[in-house]
């Protein structure tokens, strides 16, 4: 009886492992595309972000827009060598001409959404050379 029970448990575990390995994991969220509007907003807002947080009096949202919940965004700043530092990600809504900055990290692992901020207007001459695209 005990050997039958062990065999049944072993078969169940093997079946569960086979099902778990055959299901594909959910795709990772894709980062925002590096278009001109995103590059412009990143160039303008990056000086105000750091591992110590956002150093600007931007409006804070109670909850982010629904389309931002499952996207990574464009990195603005990482945590660096600060153990409880912050990292910021940029989200650009070109249709609404709005920019959002999502800040994550800190001692308690908080998330804060700044915005909507106005989408900056840039010409290709004001962007860094690495982000401009030839025409």
């Amino acid at each position: 009886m005990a050997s039958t029970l062990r065999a049944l448990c072993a078969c169940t575990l093997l079946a569960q492992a086979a099902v778990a390995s055959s299901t594909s994991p959910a795709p990772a969220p894709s980062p925002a595309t590096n278009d001109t509007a995103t590059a412009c907003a990143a160039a303008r807002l990056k000086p105000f972000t750091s591992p110590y947080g956002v150093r600007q009096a931007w409006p804070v949202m109670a909850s982010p827009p629904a389309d931002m919940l499952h996207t990574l965004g464009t990195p603005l700043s990482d945590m660096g060598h600060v153990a409880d530092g912050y990292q910021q990600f940029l989200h650009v809504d070109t249709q609404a001409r709005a920019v959002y900055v999502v800040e994550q990290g800190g001692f308690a692992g908080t998330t804060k959404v700044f915005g909507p901020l106005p989408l900056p207007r840039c010409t290709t001459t004001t962007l860094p050379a690495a982000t401009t695209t030839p025409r």
Side-chain angles (χ1 to χ4, degrees), residues 10-23:
C11 288
T12 303
L13 288 174
L14 286 174
Q16 289 175 346
V19 169
S21 66
S22 67
T23 57

Side-chain angles (χ1 to χ4, degrees), residues 65-118:
D67 58 336
M68 280 186 0
L69 292 175
H70 302 292
T71 59
L72 184 60
T74 303
L76 284 177
S77 172
D78 62 8
M79 293 188 300
H81 296 292
V82 180
D84 59 345
Y86 294 96
Q87 55 187 352
Q88 293 87 15
F89 298 95
L90 178 70
H91 294 269
V92 176
D93 184 353
T94 53
Q95 290 180 339
R97 299 207 42 83
V99 176
Y100 302 92
V101 176
V102 177
E103 180 177 76
Q104 297 176 332
F107 184 70
T110 61
T111 298
K112 192 182 292 187
V113 180
F114 296 95
L117 304 170

